Amino acid sequence: MKPQMKPIRNTRIDFARGIAILIMLLANSAPYVLINEPIPFLIRFLFSTAAPLFIFLSGYSLNLSFQHNKPKSTIIQRALQVLFVAVFIDVFIWNIIPFETFDVLYLIGFSQLILIALHTSKSIVKFGVMFLILILFGFCLLCLNYTFQIIEHDFSIYNLTHFSIQSALQRLFFDGWFPLVPWFCISLLGYLACSFNNDIKKFNHFFTLGFILLLVSYFLFILFPEWINNPRDKYLEIFYPITPFYGLLLLGLFSLLIGFINSTFEVKSIFVELGKLSLFVYLMHVIVINFIITKFTFVMINEYYTFLLIGIVFIFSIILLTKLISKMHPYFLQYKITKPILFLLGL
Protein backbone atom coordinates (compact mmCIF):
# COMPACT_ATOMS: atom_id res chain seq x y z
CA MET A 1 0.00 0.00 0.00
CA LYS A 2 1.47 3.34 -1.05
CA PRO A 3 1.88 5.97 1.67
CA GLN A 4 -0.62 8.80 1.45
CA MET A 5 0.90 11.92 -0.07
CA LYS A 6 0.78 15.03 2.07
CA PRO A 7 -1.35 17.72 0.33
CA ILE A 8 0.62 20.55 -1.22
CA ARG A 9 0.07 23.72 0.79
CA ASN A 10 -1.33 26.66 -1.16
CA THR A 11 1.15 29.35 -0.16
CA ARG A 12 -0.99 32.01 -1.83
CA ILE A 13 -3.47 31.60 1.05
CA ASP A 14 -0.65 32.17 3.54
CA PHE A 15 0.55 35.16 1.52
CA ALA A 16 -2.90 36.76 1.58
CA ARG A 17 -3.19 36.09 5.31
CA GLY A 18 0.25 37.63 5.83
CA ILE A 19 -0.76 40.80 3.98
CA ALA A 20 -3.96 40.94 6.05
CA ILE A 21 -2.12 40.67 9.38
CA LEU A 22 0.21 43.53 8.44
CA ILE A 23 -2.72 45.77 7.48
CA MET A 24 -4.45 44.82 10.74
CA LEU A 25 -1.27 45.62 12.66
CA LEU A 26 -1.28 49.16 11.26
CA ALA A 27 -5.05 49.56 11.66
CA ASN A 28 -4.97 48.55 15.32
CA SER A 29 -2.01 50.83 16.05
CA ALA A 30 -3.58 53.89 14.43
CA PRO A 31 -6.00 54.81 17.28
CA TYR A 32 -3.04 55.32 19.63
CA VAL A 33 -0.96 57.47 17.27
CA LEU A 34 -3.28 59.24 14.80
CA ILE A 35 -5.19 61.10 17.48
CA ASN A 36 -5.55 64.67 16.25
CA GLU A 37 -4.91 64.51 12.51
CA PRO A 38 -7.76 64.13 9.98
CA ILE A 39 -7.71 60.65 8.47
CA PRO A 40 -7.94 60.34 4.66
CA PHE A 41 -10.77 58.05 3.63
CA LEU A 42 -8.41 55.94 1.49
CA ILE A 43 -6.58 54.88 4.68
CA ARG A 44 -9.85 53.93 6.37
CA PHE A 45 -10.88 52.04 3.21
CA LEU A 46 -7.60 50.09 3.25
CA PHE A 47 -7.75 49.36 6.98
CA SER A 48 -11.26 47.94 6.49
CA THR A 49 -9.98 45.10 4.29
CA ALA A 50 -7.87 43.20 6.84
CA ALA A 51 -10.52 41.69 9.13
CA PRO A 52 -12.79 40.35 6.35
CA LEU A 53 -9.78 38.79 4.64
CA PHE A 54 -8.94 36.94 7.84
CA ILE A 55 -12.51 35.82 8.44
CA PHE A 56 -13.08 34.66 4.85
CA LEU A 57 -9.79 32.73 4.86
CA SER A 58 -10.62 31.10 8.20
CA GLY A 59 -13.68 29.48 6.62
CA TYR A 60 -11.81 28.63 3.42
CA SER A 61 -8.92 27.03 5.32
CA LEU A 62 -11.23 25.05 7.60
CA ASN A 63 -12.88 23.46 4.57
CA LEU A 64 -9.44 22.69 3.12
CA SER A 65 -8.58 20.92 6.38
CA PHE A 66 -11.60 18.64 5.92
CA GLN A 67 -10.73 18.06 2.25
CA HIS A 68 -7.19 17.10 3.26
CA ASN A 69 -8.63 14.55 5.73
CA LYS A 70 -7.28 16.16 8.86
CA PRO A 71 -8.74 14.56 12.00
CA LYS A 72 -11.86 16.30 13.20
CA SER A 73 -10.35 16.48 16.69
CA THR A 74 -7.40 18.47 15.30
CA ILE A 75 -9.72 20.91 13.53
CA ILE A 76 -11.78 21.40 16.70
CA GLN A 77 -8.59 21.87 18.72
CA ARG A 78 -7.48 24.67 16.38
CA ALA A 79 -10.83 26.47 16.80
CA LEU A 80 -10.57 26.15 20.58
CA GLN A 81 -7.00 27.44 20.42
CA VAL A 82 -8.21 30.60 18.67
CA LEU A 83 -10.81 31.12 21.42
CA PHE A 84 -8.22 30.43 24.11
CA VAL A 85 -5.88 33.07 22.68
CA ALA A 86 -8.82 35.52 22.50
CA VAL A 87 -9.57 34.98 26.20
CA PHE A 88 -5.88 35.23 27.09
CA ILE A 89 -5.62 38.58 25.30
CA ASP A 90 -8.68 39.99 27.07
CA VAL A 91 -7.71 38.83 30.56
CA PHE A 92 -3.93 39.19 30.65
CA ILE A 93 -3.24 41.93 28.10
CA TRP A 94 -6.27 44.23 27.97
CA ASN A 95 -7.35 43.30 31.53
CA ILE A 96 -11.02 43.13 30.59
CA ILE A 97 -13.72 40.52 31.13
CA PRO A 98 -13.72 37.92 28.35
CA PHE A 99 -16.81 36.96 26.37
CA GLU A 100 -18.22 40.47 26.65
CA THR A 101 -17.39 42.51 23.53
CA PHE A 102 -16.02 39.86 21.11
CA ASP A 103 -13.02 40.83 19.03
CA VAL A 104 -12.20 39.16 15.71
CA LEU A 105 -10.62 36.07 17.29
CA TYR A 106 -13.85 35.26 19.11
CA LEU A 107 -15.73 35.50 15.84
CA ILE A 108 -13.27 33.21 14.04
CA GLY A 109 -13.26 30.65 16.85
CA PHE A 110 -17.05 30.49 17.22
CA SER A 111 -17.54 30.53 13.45
CA GLN A 112 -15.20 27.59 12.99
CA LEU A 113 -17.05 25.58 15.64
CA ILE A 114 -20.37 26.32 13.91
CA LEU A 115 -18.90 25.39 10.51
CA ILE A 116 -17.61 22.12 11.95
CA ALA A 117 -21.15 21.36 13.14
CA LEU A 118 -22.55 22.26 9.70
CA HIS A 119 -19.87 20.39 7.74
CA THR A 120 -21.95 17.28 7.00
CA SER A 121 -25.08 19.24 6.07
CA LYS A 122 -26.02 19.84 2.44
CA SER A 123 -24.91 22.99 0.67
CA ILE A 124 -28.52 24.18 0.39
CA VAL A 125 -28.69 24.20 4.19
CA LYS A 126 -25.54 26.33 4.43
CA PHE A 127 -26.88 28.80 1.84
CA GLY A 128 -30.15 28.86 3.76
CA VAL A 129 -28.31 29.69 6.99
CA MET A 130 -26.48 32.54 5.24
CA PHE A 131 -29.71 33.93 3.81
CA LEU A 132 -31.49 33.80 7.17
CA ILE A 133 -28.60 35.54 8.94
CA LEU A 134 -28.59 38.37 6.39
CA ILE A 135 -32.36 38.78 6.78
CA LEU A 136 -31.93 38.79 10.55
CA PHE A 137 -29.17 41.40 10.29
CA GLY A 138 -31.40 43.71 8.26
CA PHE A 139 -34.18 43.26 10.81
CA CYS A 140 -31.83 44.00 13.71
CA LEU A 141 -30.52 47.19 12.10
CA LEU A 142 -34.06 48.43 11.52
CA CYS A 143 -35.66 47.35 14.78
CA LEU A 144 -32.94 47.21 17.43
CA ASN A 145 -30.68 49.83 18.93
CA TYR A 146 -27.17 49.36 17.54
CA THR A 147 -24.76 50.15 20.41
CA PHE A 148 -21.98 52.13 18.77
CA GLN A 149 -19.88 52.77 21.89
CA ILE A 150 -18.98 49.58 23.75
CA ILE A 151 -18.15 49.59 27.45
CA GLU A 152 -15.42 47.11 28.34
CA HIS A 153 -15.25 46.31 32.06
CA ASP A 154 -12.04 45.69 33.95
CA PHE A 155 -11.33 42.14 35.04
CA SER A 156 -12.36 42.47 38.69
CA ILE A 157 -14.46 40.53 41.21
CA TYR A 158 -17.11 43.26 41.26
CA ASN A 159 -17.49 43.33 37.48
CA LEU A 160 -17.50 39.53 37.30
CA THR A 161 -20.34 39.33 39.80
CA HIS A 162 -22.28 41.96 37.83
CA PHE A 163 -21.64 40.37 34.45
CA SER A 164 -24.67 40.84 32.17
CA ILE A 165 -25.43 37.74 30.10
CA GLN A 166 -28.09 39.66 28.16
CA SER A 167 -25.60 42.37 27.20
CA ALA A 168 -22.95 39.79 26.27
CA LEU A 169 -25.40 37.93 24.03
CA GLN A 170 -26.35 41.17 22.27
CA ARG A 171 -22.64 41.91 21.66
CA LEU A 172 -22.07 38.33 20.45
CA PHE A 173 -24.97 38.23 18.02
CA PHE A 174 -25.50 41.81 16.89
CA ASP A 175 -23.38 44.80 17.90
CA GLY A 176 -20.11 43.69 19.45
CA TRP A 177 -16.85 44.36 17.66
CA PHE A 178 -17.42 41.36 15.37
CA PRO A 179 -20.87 39.86 16.04
CA LEU A 180 -21.98 36.58 14.49
CA VAL A 181 -24.78 38.46 12.75
CA PRO A 182 -23.69 39.17 10.02
CA TRP A 183 -19.95 38.39 10.21
CA PHE A 184 -20.42 34.62 10.39
CA CYS A 185 -21.71 34.87 6.80
CA ILE A 186 -18.21 35.88 5.67
CA SER A 187 -16.63 32.83 7.25
CA LEU A 188 -19.38 30.68 5.76
CA LEU A 189 -18.84 32.31 2.37
CA GLY A 190 -15.15 31.38 2.54
CA TYR A 191 -16.12 27.81 3.42
CA LEU A 192 -18.54 27.63 0.47
CA ALA A 193 -16.01 29.21 -1.90
CA CYS A 194 -13.65 26.35 -1.08
CA SER A 195 -16.44 23.77 -1.55
CA PHE A 196 -17.27 25.05 -5.04
CA ASN A 197 -13.74 26.05 -6.00
CA ASN A 198 -13.55 23.66 -8.97
CA ASP A 199 -16.60 25.36 -10.49
CA ILE A 200 -15.66 28.89 -9.39
CA LYS A 201 -12.17 28.86 -10.91
CA LYS A 202 -13.61 28.27 -14.38
CA PHE A 203 -14.52 31.97 -14.29
CA ASN A 204 -11.41 33.76 -15.56
CA HIS A 205 -12.27 37.36 -14.72
CA PHE A 206 -12.09 37.52 -10.94
CA PHE A 207 -9.36 40.16 -10.95
CA THR A 208 -11.31 42.40 -13.33
CA LEU A 209 -14.55 41.94 -11.39
CA GLY A 210 -12.79 42.54 -8.08
CA PHE A 211 -11.14 45.78 -9.18
CA ILE A 212 -14.40 47.08 -10.65
CA LEU A 213 -16.38 46.33 -7.48
CA LEU A 214 -13.73 47.89 -5.25
CA LEU A 215 -13.63 51.04 -7.38
CA VAL A 216 -17.42 51.26 -7.46
CA SER A 217 -17.68 50.88 -3.70
CA TYR A 218 -14.93 53.46 -3.12
CA PHE A 219 -16.54 56.09 -5.33
CA LEU A 220 -19.99 55.40 -3.89
CA PHE A 221 -18.57 56.20 -0.46
CA ILE A 222 -17.00 59.40 -1.86
CA LEU A 223 -20.27 60.43 -3.54
CA PHE A 224 -22.39 59.58 -0.50
CA PRO A 225 -20.22 60.32 2.55
CA GLU A 226 -23.20 59.94 4.87
CA TRP A 227 -22.76 56.18 4.39
CA ILE A 228 -19.25 56.34 5.89
CA ASN A 229 -19.49 55.23 9.52
CA ASN A 230 -17.63 57.28 12.09
CA PRO A 231 -14.66 55.71 13.87
CA ARG A 232 -15.76 53.44 16.70
CA ASP A 233 -13.76 54.12 19.88
CA LYS A 234 -11.10 55.67 17.60
CA TYR A 235 -10.82 52.53 15.44
CA LEU A 236 -10.90 53.66 11.83
CA GLU A 237 -12.57 50.74 10.03
CA ILE A 238 -15.83 51.65 8.27
CA PHE A 239 -17.75 48.44 9.03
CA TYR A 240 -19.34 49.38 12.37
CA PRO A 241 -21.93 48.33 11.26
CA ILE A 242 -21.72 46.81 7.77
CA THR A 243 -23.53 48.88 5.11
CA PRO A 244 -24.62 48.07 1.53
CA PHE A 245 -21.67 50.03 0.08
CA TYR A 246 -19.32 48.06 2.30
CA GLY A 247 -20.97 44.90 1.01
CA LEU A 248 -19.76 45.86 -2.49
CA LEU A 249 -16.27 46.34 -1.07
CA LEU A 250 -16.43 42.81 0.38
CA LEU A 251 -17.55 41.28 -2.92
CA GLY A 252 -14.71 43.03 -4.74
CA LEU A 253 -12.18 42.01 -2.11
CA PHE A 254 -13.25 38.36 -2.17
CA SER A 255 -13.25 38.30 -5.98
CA LEU A 256 -9.63 39.44 -5.98
CA LEU A 257 -8.80 36.92 -3.27
CA ILE A 258 -10.39 33.95 -5.07
CA GLY A 259 -8.66 34.95 -8.29
CA PHE A 260 -5.33 35.14 -6.48
CA ILE A 261 -5.77 31.82 -4.66
CA ASN A 262 -6.51 30.06 -7.96
CA SER A 263 -3.77 31.82 -9.89
CA THR A 264 -0.37 30.37 -10.79
CA PHE A 265 1.63 33.11 -9.06
CA GLU A 266 4.68 31.77 -7.27
CA VAL A 267 4.92 33.38 -3.83
CA LYS A 268 7.94 32.82 -1.62
CA SER A 269 8.38 35.67 0.81
CA ILE A 270 8.19 36.63 4.45
CA PHE A 271 4.48 37.28 3.95
CA VAL A 272 3.99 33.52 3.60
CA GLU A 273 5.68 32.94 6.97
CA LEU A 274 3.59 35.70 8.54
CA GLY A 275 0.47 34.02 7.19
CA LYS A 276 1.46 30.61 8.55
CA LEU A 277 1.99 32.12 12.02
CA SER A 278 -0.83 34.67 11.84
CA LEU A 279 -2.36 33.78 15.23
CA PHE A 280 1.02 34.18 16.91
CA VAL A 281 1.64 37.46 15.07
CA TYR A 282 -1.79 38.72 16.15
CA LEU A 283 -0.97 37.94 19.78
CA MET A 284 2.42 39.65 19.55
CA HIS A 285 1.01 42.78 17.93
CA VAL A 286 -1.56 43.18 20.73
CA ILE A 287 1.21 42.84 23.33
CA VAL A 288 3.31 45.52 21.60
CA ILE A 289 0.36 47.90 21.28
CA ASN A 290 -0.73 47.57 24.89
CA PHE A 291 2.64 47.52 26.64
CA ILE A 292 4.69 49.80 24.39
CA ILE A 293 2.70 52.00 21.99
CA THR A 294 0.02 53.00 24.52
CA LYS A 295 2.64 53.87 27.17
CA PHE A 296 4.45 56.55 25.21
CA THR A 297 3.59 59.91 23.73
CA PHE A 298 5.27 60.02 20.35
CA VAL A 299 6.22 63.52 19.22
CA MET A 300 7.68 64.27 15.80
CA ILE A 301 6.97 66.74 13.01
CA ASN A 302 3.40 65.46 12.81
CA GLU A 303 1.38 62.36 13.63
CA TYR A 304 1.59 60.95 10.10
CA TYR A 305 5.39 60.79 10.21
CA THR A 306 5.19 59.31 13.69
CA PHE A 307 2.74 56.67 12.52
CA LEU A 308 4.90 55.87 9.49
CA LEU A 309 8.02 55.45 11.64
CA ILE A 310 6.22 53.32 14.23
CA GLY A 311 4.67 51.22 11.47
CA ILE A 312 8.06 50.55 9.83
CA VAL A 313 9.72 49.62 13.15
CA PHE A 314 6.70 47.55 14.22
CA ILE A 315 6.51 45.59 10.96
CA PHE A 316 10.26 45.05 10.80
CA SER A 317 10.31 43.75 14.39
CA ILE A 318 7.38 41.39 13.77
CA ILE A 319 9.06 40.07 10.61
CA LEU A 320 12.31 39.36 12.46
CA LEU A 321 10.44 37.63 15.30
CA THR A 322 8.44 35.56 12.80
CA LYS A 323 11.58 34.42 10.99
CA LEU A 324 13.12 33.40 14.33
CA ILE A 325 10.01 31.47 15.44
CA SER A 326 9.73 29.76 12.03
CA LYS A 327 13.25 28.38 12.43
CA MET A 328 12.82 27.42 16.10
CA HIS A 329 9.31 25.94 15.85
CA PRO A 330 10.38 22.42 14.72
CA TYR A 331 12.91 22.34 17.55
CA PHE A 332 10.29 23.30 20.16
CA LEU A 333 7.94 20.54 18.96
CA GLN A 334 10.45 17.89 20.03
CA TYR A 335 9.72 18.55 23.69
CA LYS A 336 6.36 17.81 25.29
CA ILE A 337 6.87 20.46 27.95
CA THR A 338 6.78 23.21 25.32
CA LYS A 339 3.49 22.13 23.75
CA PRO A 340 1.24 24.03 26.24
CA ILE A 341 3.34 27.14 25.66
CA LEU A 342 3.07 26.76 21.90
CA PHE A 343 -0.70 26.30 22.26
CA LEU A 344 -0.90 29.52 24.27
CA LEU A 345 1.19 31.39 21.70
CA GLY A 346 -1.06 30.27 18.84
CA LEU A 347 1.61 28.02 17.30
Side-chain angles (χ1 to χ4, degrees):
M1 183 176 179
K2 293 183 179 180
Q4 187 176 7
M5 296 291 292
K6 186 176 181 180
I8 299 175
R9 189 179 182 108
N10 188 336
T11 55
R12 290 179 291 278
I13 295 176
D14 294 317
F15 183 90
R17 195 182 285 116
I19 294 293
I21 191 65
L22 288 185
I23 296 175
M24 186 174 287
L25 181 154
L26 294 173
N28 290 345
S29 304
Y32 307 100
V33 183
L34 299 177
I35 300 172
N36 302 308
E37 297 287 344
I39 309 300
F41 176 69
L42 182 59
I43 292 179
R44 298 191 63 194
F45 192 86
L46 175 64
F47 284 175
S48 301
T49 61
L53 279 175
F54 258 118
I55 298 163
F56 183 92
L57 287 172
S58 71
Y60 196 100
S61 298
L62 183 135
N63 198 338
L64 274 182
S65 296
F66 278 115
Q67 292 181 18
H68 293 164
N69 297 316
K70 283 190 177 181
K72 188 175 181 180
S73 59
T74 301
I75 299 173
I76 293 175
Q77 179 180 319
R78 181 61 175 177
L80 293 176
Q81 183 185 29
V82 173
L83 287 174
F84 183 86
V85 173
V87 172
F88 179 86
I89 288 173
D90 277 355
V91 175
F92 295 102
I93 300 177
W94 295 125
N95 190 33
I96 60 176
I97 296 176
F99 299 104
E100 189 175 43
T101 56
F102 302 101
D103 202 349
V104 67
L105 292 187
Y106 285 103
L107 171 72
I108 291 174
F110 282 129
S111 295
Q112 288 189 331
L113 291 176
I114 296 171
L115 288 174
I116 291 169
L118 289 174
H119 176 65
T120 56
S121 64
K122 295 181 179 180
S123 295
I124 188 66
V125 173
K126 299 181 181 75
F127 280 110
V129 169
M130 182 184 298
F131 177 76
L132 289 175
I133 289 177
L134 292 176
I135 294 296
L136 179 60
F137 177 62
F139 171 81
C140 290
L141 281 180
L142 292 174
C143 301
L144 297 181
N145 180 32
Y146 185 89
T147 306
F148 196 71
Q149 301 298 328
I150 302 179
I151 298 175
E152 296 175 327
H153 297 98
D154 293 341
F155 192 78
S156 64
I157 299 298
Y158 175 83
N159 287 331
L160 283 173
T161 57
H162 290 77
F163 181 81
S164 171
I165 295 178
Q166 179 181 350
S167 174
L169 288 175
Q170 182 173 336
R171 304 291 95 78
L172 171 63
F173 286 103
F174 175 48
D175 60 7
W177 287 109
F178 290 91
L180 288 170
V181 178
W183 284 95
F184 171 69
C185 290
I186 294 178
S187 184
L188 178 55
L189 186 63
Y191 179 98
L192 290 169
C194 184
S195 293
F196 293 97
N197 191 53
N198 288 333
D199 297 316
I200 289 174
K201 65 184 181 182
K202 294 176 183 177
F203 182 71
N204 298 320
H205 305 289
F206 276 110
F207 287 113
T208 303
L209 177 63
F211 279 118
I212 290 174
L213 289 174
L214 284 175
L215 285 174
V216 169
S217 65
Y218 180 82
F219 285 110
L220 282 174
F221 277 119
I222 298 299
L223 291 172
F224 303 95
E226 63 271 17
W227 283 92
I228 302 175
N229 293 321
N230 293 323
R232 188 181 195 181
D233 290 342
K234 299 181 181 180
Y235 285 89
L236 302 175
E237 291 89 344
I238 58 177
F239 46 61
Y240 302 117
I242 289 178
T243 62
F245 291 172
Y246 187 75
L248 282 179
L249 184 157
L250 291 178
L251 292 176
L253 186 65
F254 299 150
S255 294
L256 288 177
L257 182 59
I258 292 171
F260 178 68
I261 289 174
N262 288 308
S263 70
T264 57
F265 292 128
E266 291 288 338
V267 285
K268 294 180 181 180
S269 72
I270 186 59
F271 297 114
V272 174
E273 297 302 322
L274 288 171
K276 290 179 180 179
L277 302 177
S278 58
L279 184 56
F280 169 76
V281 174
Y282 186 91
L283 173 62
M284 291 299 104
H285 104 282
V286 174
I287 291 173
V288 171
I289 288 173
N290 188 56
F291 294 109
I292 298 179
I293 293 180
T294 61
K295 305 304 180 185
F296 294 92
T297 301
F298 299 94
V299 179
M300 286 185 63
I301 299 173
N302 63 40
E303 290 180 355
Y304 291 124
Y305 288 124
T306 305
F307 181 64
L308 179 62
L309 177 61
I310 292 173
I312 292 172
V313 174
F314 201 173
I315 290 173
F316 185 70
S317 301
I318 289 291
I319 287 174
L320 287 179
L321 181 60
T322 303
K323 289 181 74 68
L324 176 63
I325 294 297
S326 295
K327 291 183 178 181
M328 297 296 292
H329 190 219
Y331 175 78
F332 291 145
L333 288 175
Q334 297 177 14
Y335 303 95
K336 290 184 178 180
I337 194 172
T338 62
K339 288 186 178 180
I341 299 174
L342 296 177
F343 184 87
L344 170 64
L345 294 175
L347 296 169

